[in-house]
Amino acid sequence: MRTHIFAKLQRLDLRFYDQNPVGRLMTRITSDVETLNELFSSGVVAAFGDLFTLGFILSAMLYMDWRLALITFSVLPFVVLTAFLFRARLRTTYRDIRVQLARINAYLHERITGIVVIKLFSREEHDARRHAEINQDYLEAHLRSITYYALFFPVIELFTAIALALIIWRGGATLLEGAVTVGVLAAFIQYARRFFRPIQDLSEKYNLPQSAMASSERVLKLIDREIEIVDEPEPVSLDRPVRGEIEFRGVWFAYGKGAEEGADWDWILKDVSFRAAPGERLAIVGHTGAGKTTIIHLLMRFYQPQRGQILLDGQPIDRLRLDELRGHIGLVLQDVFLFSQDIAHNIRLGSQDIGEDRVRDAAERIGAAPFIERLEKGYDQELGERGAILSVGERQLVSFARALVFDPQVLVLDEATSSVDSELEGKIEEATNELMAGRTSMVIAHRLSTVLGADHIVVLHHGELCQQGTHAELLEHGGLYARLHELQFARTPAA
Ligand SMILES: Nc1ncnc2c1ncn2[C@@H]1O[C@H](COP(=O)(O)OP(=O)(O)OP(=O)(O)O)[C@@H](O)[C@H]1O
Ligand SMILES: [Mg+2]
């Protein structure tokens, strides 16, 4: 089940991840699955034993003296009713426990990954208090379930006592009349005691299915979650060789879902159209939040635009297979994500077809080889979580090598906004040129050198494409590009 959930998680859309914190998903995969495991490993087996015992005692009592047996069983409806009454409440508390546990995990995950910020702003005490609060909620949810059991067991105990009293009362009378023997009566008293124990056990085990129900509800919700972006039943293939032509045609997009078509969407992109010819260098510029990264998300089909079309080599991208589309496009993101494994793994991402020599070749062409070779274990150096042991610039170079080694036809680069010194700036510029050579490229430019080298620049303003042309044309025109140029690009060092 765990592997099943993980496989599903891998395929789910980014929209799903926008809505679900990591800690919550971790809870699903770990403790929710654990609860289900417990149900099957101990709960079900023991419950079978209990049911067997119950069935045996029931038959034995009926066989020995059916009238006395029926008297004993007369308390059973009340037992069932009690169990029923407690059931609904227990289910709610167990659901609560799962929710609180997921909250704790989500909180923990975030505070541990964000430890530097917490220390920086001295939020340790505040966050510890907040954690204590969330933990208290969790504790209370547990206490509620314990309280219900503390009430439930004595009630069952009471019914056991009543049943015994009934046996002695009726049995005693019939004994005097000579209808039953002392032996039968003694057997009944013993059986009655043993009869209620499995019932008690069962209701204790009841706990397991209840909590397993609460877990499985959540797990199933995850497993049944529809994947919005999937391959078409009959996908088309691109003609070879792939030319790498990109076109956006009247694309409208909003992250928020729920509003009906035609209603007020929170548009992030409005009627965006542009084209990058094969081999062309296209630069996208715009102020922060203009929707530049969003354009990349759409091109990679991480999200689906509400209107309009995106084409690769003249084919709508939603008609291509996802892995084909993404295989043709190399993407370097604004914030680089590296895995904790070694550098070679981070470059080839475990791909079997990419040999050691190709990894080294890519690193050399990008200019990452010198610093990699300086590391103690070179390409086998483990990087620590998120590539902790590398500097920001080095991480960028590794991610460039990663894009290069897959040799895509189209290169998409979201330049990092963080400023780097001019030496690294020069290296990154060289690396960028190496990456873009001979490919169609789409670069979200934050550096002057990139816009200067671009064949074509589109200017985005609040999700609308307001200007396009070459650097010289746009500067001459004045307007937004000229302003952006002055504010953003002219100040960054051009190598
Ligand atoms: N996953 C998301 N869910 C909801 N809104 C989002 C999401 N990602 C981005 N947005 C919103 O979309 C808008 C455009 O974001 P985008 O990341 O495309 O900006 P950008 O142009 O790349 O900015 P920057 O230059 O700072 O990287 C922003 O207002 C942002 O708040
Ligand atoms: Mg961005």
Side-chain angles (χ1 to χ4, degrees):
M1 186 166 248
R2 199 168 275 147
T3 37
H4 196 74
I5 301 175
F6 181 71
K8 173 77 182 201
L9 277 179
Q10 298 269 283
R11 286 168 48 235
L12 274 165
D13 306 308
L14 285 191
R15 196 188 294 286
F16 172 81
Y17 287 93
D18 288 343
Q19 296 158 354
N20 291 283
V22 180
R24 188 188 294 166
L25 302 177
M26 300 283 286
T27 317
R28 296 291 162 276
I29 288 202
T30 53
S31 37
D32 280 343
V33 172
E34 196 53 49
T35 318
L36 287 173
N37 174 35
E38 223 171 279
L39 172 71
F40 288 107
S41 58
S42 61
V44 171
V45 177
F48 269 115
D50 284 344
L51 282 177
F52 182 78
T53 316
L54 267 182
F56 179 80
I57 293 177
L58 214 92
S59 334
M61 281 169 123
L62 281 172
Y63 175 75
M64 282 192 304
D65 189 319
W66 64 271
R67 267 165 305 201
L68 209 48
L70 287 186
I71 289 170
T72 319
F73 301 154
S74 64
V75 295
L76 271 185
F78 299 101
V79 173
V80 172
L81 186 72
T82 320
F84 193 75
L85 287 179
F86 274 94
R87 192 170 100 146
R89 290 189 174 74
L90 273 172
R91 172 86 74 91
T92 336
T93 35
Y94 278 116
R95 210 174 281 157
D96 230 26
I97 290 176
R98 305 322 300 174
V99 173
Q100 299 299 348
L101 180 63
R103 261 181 83 203
I104 291 193
N105 284 343
Y107 189 81
L108 274 181
H109 175 265
E110 219 179 32
R111 298 302 129 152
I112 293 172
T113 30
I115 188 70
V116 176
V117 182
I118 291 168
K119 286 190 180 302
L120 196 59
F121 289 90
S122 308
R123 305 302 286 168
E124 294 95 336
E125 260 181 52
H126 171 272
D127 284 358
R129 267 202 308 279
R130 178 87 193 105
H131 178 260
E133 277 168 28
I134 301 179
N135 201 32
Q136 184 67 27
D137 291 344
Y138 181 49
L139 177 77
E140 273 162 21
H142 262 295
L143 282 181
R144 267 199 302 283
S145 82
I146 292 170
T147 312
Y148 286 131
Y149 274 105
L151 284 172
F152 181 61
F153 285 132
V155 173
I156 299 287
E157 196 69 38
L158 183 70
F159 287 129
T160 317
I162 291 175
L164 281 176
L166 285 175
I167 292 171
I168 292 169
W169 174 57
R170 278 308 306 161
T174 38
L175 183 71
L176 292 179
E177 290 160 14
V180 292
T181 61
V182 179
V184 168
L185 191 58
F188 254 87
I189 291 174
Q190 288 304 324
Y191 273 143
R193 281 231 182 89
R194 305 222 32 184
F195 182 64
F196 286 92
R197 195 176 308 148
I199 291 188
Q200 225 175 52
D201 276 1
L202 270 180
S203 27
E204 200 176 349
K205 302 256 160 46
Y206 208 68
N207 177 344
L208 274 177
Q210 289 302 311
S211 116
M213 277 294 216
S215 287
S216 67
E217 264 173 17
R218 293 169 184 278
V219 167
L220 285 179
K221 219 163 107 189
L222 201 159
I223 291 180
D224 289 343
R225 165 100 185 200
E226 197 186 333
I227 301 176
E228 286 164 35
I229 298 172
V230 287
D231 287 336
E232 263 207 358
E234 284 169 35
V236 293
S237 266
L238 292 178
D239 297 332
R240 304 295 163 120
V242 175
R243 291 171 295 132
E245 179 196 28
I246 301 170
E247 191 180 349
F248 273 56
R249 266 191 212 154
V251 171
W252 291 72
F253 175 73
Y255 283 101
K257 217 191 157 196
E260 289 304 309
E261 180 76 13
D264 269 352
W265 288 85
D266 217 349
W267 294 115
I268 301 291
L269 292 182
K270 292 169 226 157
D271 198 17
V272 171
S273 303
F274 62 84
R275 181 172 168 270
E280 197 179 46
R281 291 185 177 192
L282 176 87
I284 302 174
V285 298
H287 56 83
T288 183
K292 304 180 298 292
T293 304
T294 306
I295 288 188
I296 295 185
H297 284 161
L298 295 184
L299 177 63
M300 303 306 279
R301 268 194 94 199
F302 290 153
Y303 298 86
Q304 193 82 23
Q306 277 80 7
R307 295 179 210 157
Q309 242 180 358
I310 303 168
L311 306 115
L312 178 62
D313 275 11
Q315 290 287 358
I317 56 168
D318 41 11
R319 304 208 42 210
L320 302 175
R321 281 215 334 268
L322 278 173
D323 55 355
E324 184 178 0
L325 169 74
R326 291 175 190 164
H328 288 309
I329 303 176
L331 173 61
V332 179
L333 283 171
Q334 220 166 358
D335 14 78
V336 174
F337 189 95
L338 296 181
F339 296 92
S340 54
Q341 281 122 317
D342 56 72
I343 294 197
H345 177 94
N346 267 292
I347 293 179
R348 77 160 88 96
L349 290 180
S351 169
Q352 299 297 328
D353 330 328
I354 296 172
E356 200 69 29
D357 44 331
R358 272 176 69 191
V359 170
R360 278 164 201 271
D361 180 54
E364 255 150 46
R365 279 165 60 195
I366 286 299
F371 86 81
I372 295 177
E373 277 149 19
R374 269 204 307 276
L375 292 170
E376 199 184 328
K377 293 193 194 139
Y379 286 86
D380 297 327
Q381 179 78 46
E382 308 252 321
L383 293 184
E385 197 165 288
R386 303 204 70 166
I389 69 157
L390 297 182
S391 77
V392 174
E394 288 166 346
R395 275 180 234 168
Q396 266 170 32
L397 291 178
V398 171
S399 77
F400 279 24
R402 178 196 282 172
L404 189 66
V405 83
F406 284 91
D407 194 22
Q409 278 72 29
V410 177
L411 187 94
V412 178
L413 172 63
D414 199 348
E415 281 186 340
T417 30
S418 56
S419 46
V420 290
D421 65 29
S422 37
E423 191 202 331
L424 187 60
E425 174 80 27
K427 270 195 201 155
I428 288 183
E429 196 198 327
E430 272 168 40
T432 311
N433 284 333
E434 180 62 40
L435 264 182
M436 297 194 294
R439 311 187 156 84
T440 313
S441 60
M442 192 166 114
V443 185
I444 293 178
H446 289 285
R447 277 192 288 269
L448 181 63
S449 54
T450 323
V451 284
L452 289 179
D455 300 315
H456 189 90
I457 302 171
V458 298
V459 185
L460 210 59
H461 184 61
H462 289 305
E464 278 173 283
L465 209 153
C466 62
Q467 281 182 306
Q468 52 180 317
T470 62
H471 178 71
E473 284 168 7
L474 288 172
L475 264 194
E476 201 174 313
H477 251 266
L480 187 66
Y481 182 77
R483 264 208 320 279
L484 266 173
H485 176 260
E486 193 175 314
L487 283 172
Q488 190 180 346
F489 300 118
R491 280 194 308 183
T492 55

